[in-house]
Amino acid sequence: MCSQFQNKLDNEYLDKNYRVTNQIGSNLNQFIRPTNETSIIANNSALKLMILVITSFMGIHLIFNARAESLRSKNTYTDILNNRCIIPANYYFEWEKRGKRRIKNIIRVTNRDYFFFAGIYQDNCFAIITCEANSSVLNIHPRMPVILEKSDEIKWANSRHTFNEVEPLLKPYSSQKISIEEEIQSVSNLDLFLKNLLSNLNTQFWQKFKGIIADGPSLFHSLYTQFSHVAWSLVGAKILFFPAKHYTLPKNLDEEPQHPHIFV
């Protein structure tokens, strides 16, 4: 799977290695997510801006990752098999589940500042093709984007080659050429403020609570009464401002949802 990656354009590198020019007019240095616009190379032509998401055959679902195994069988892809593109990236992100936590990992190709994903496009939109994960990425996620060998990048993007000729390129990238590191989450000033605030409130609460116990049951009863009033006020506010929502399940569990989803 690949839903986020960094694409930092290097005009000199692109011109020297791929003989394409940046006609976009600006250097993009951003983290790309589905529905974002980013730069791709289609049919070995000039760099183009396209949006990371295509629509399904029936126009119901949005797709940002296309499974390599489904390209021949799904109607969404059969008419665009020759609309092939390569997507430049410096690295991509994948999340790993550890209990209740989700760990963000940065995945790079070793000894390459730039690499290219294999993709297909539809009008001015594109999707990144995925395959089974290699042994390194498998510990994090069962799938990974198709990363092309440097010698295969131009071949994949060249529409003169038939899909039969380039389909064998859709395979896991060597685990020996992949590096994975956990992203260090920085603590914001807001996080520090909230942590200190809660700590101070906790300390003040216990000091007052100990004083109440020492002063006798009358003060404890007073505190209990005030707490009850606050608690019931919060319950009333929740009912007033956040009424319970009712959801209607499909009559047929195989029925498609009636609103767009982004699917992998």
Side-chain angles (χ1 to χ4, degrees):
M1 179 178 174
C2 180
S3 61
Q4 291 188 32
F5 63 95
Q6 177 173 294
N7 178 358
K8 183 179 180 181
L9 290 181
D10 184 330
N11 292 333
E12 184 178 346
Y13 178 87
L14 292 172
D15 181 51
K16 179 180 178 181
N17 292 274
Y18 301 95
R19 297 181 181 179
V20 296
T21 55
N22 180 5
Q23 298 182 356
I24 295 171
S26 63
N27 255 0
L28 299 179
N29 180 10
Q30 56 183 308
F31 295 101
I32 311 302
R33 297 185 174 104
T35 71
N36 285 167
E37 201 172 43
T38 188
S39 55
I40 72 164
I41 299 175
N43 296 328
N44 295 338
S45 62
L47 211 62
K48 297 180 180 179
L49 277 180
M50 289 195 182
I51 299 169
L52 176 54
V53 73
I54 63 175
T55 56
S56 64
F57 178 71
M58 299 297 293
I60 298 175
H61 304 310
L62 301 178
I63 302 166
F64 57 88
N65 284 165
R67 289 175 172 255
E69 305 91 323
S70 303
L71 293 179
R72 285 184 175 276
S73 59
K74 289 197 173 182
N75 293 331
T76 300
Y77 311 125
T78 51
D79 290 339
I80 58 174
L81 290 179
N82 286 328
N83 293 358
R84 300 189 300 269
C85 61
I86 53 177
I87 304 100
N90 305 102
Y91 50 83
Y92 77 96
F93 300 102
E94 193 58 81
W95 280 259
E96 175 186 2
K97 290 184 180 180
R98 293 183 191 169
K100 295 182 179 180
R101 298 176 60 207
R102 295 182 76 235
I103 308 300
K104 190 176 184 179
N105 293 278
I106 301 173
I107 302 178
R108 308 176 190 269
V109 174
T110 54
N111 300 322
R112 290 178 67 182
D113 294 330
Y114 254 92
F115 60 88
F116 283 80
F117 300 126
I120 52 176
Y121 66 91
Q122 178 189 78
D123 299 324
N124 65 332
C125 302
F126 74 96
I128 296 172
I129 300 174
T130 65
C131 60
E132 293 183 353
N134 62 29
S135 57
S136 297
V137 179
L138 188 59
N139 297 322
I140 300 173
H141 197 278
R143 298 191 68 80
M144 67 181 295
V146 173
I147 299 173
L148 296 166
E149 294 285 355
K150 190 172 179 61
S151 57
D152 295 328
E153 294 165 349
I154 298 300
K155 184 177 181 180
W156 172 261
N158 192 336
S159 58
R160 293 181 180 179
H161 294 285
T162 65
F163 183 73
N164 288 339
E165 293 175 317
V166 297
E167 187 178 17
L169 304 180
L170 304 178
K171 59 186 178 182
Y173 199 71
S174 171
S175 59
Q176 306 297 323
K177 301 177 182 179
I178 290 286
S179 70
I180 303 174
E181 59 181 293
E182 184 178 321
E183 184 182 63
I184 300 174
Q185 300 290 337
S186 59
V187 180
S188 67
N189 292 333
L190 178 60
D191 292 333
L192 293 173
F193 171 77
L194 292 175
K195 184 177 181 180
N196 292 332
L197 177 63
L198 291 174
S199 178
N200 291 334
L201 288 175
N202 187 46
T203 302
Q204 294 174 15
F205 171 79
W206 282 112
Q207 289 176 349
K208 289 184 179 180
F209 184 77
K210 290 177 182 177
I212 289 171
I213 295 299
D215 290 340
S218 59
L219 289 176
F220 183 81
H221 180 268
S222 176
L223 176 65
Y224 172 78
T225 303
Q226 294 180 25
F227 175 78
S228 298
H229 289 162
V230 172
W232 282 110
S233 297
L234 292 173
V235 171
K238 181 180 185 301
I239 294 173
L240 180 62
F241 295 105
F242 302 98
K245 295 181 179 179
H246 298 281
Y247 299 93
T248 304
L249 292 175
K251 295 179 181 179
N252 183 353
L253 293 180
D254 294 330
E255 185 178 326
E256 292 288 352
Q258 299 302 312
H259 49 86
H261 278 65
I262 294 180
F263 274 70
V264 178

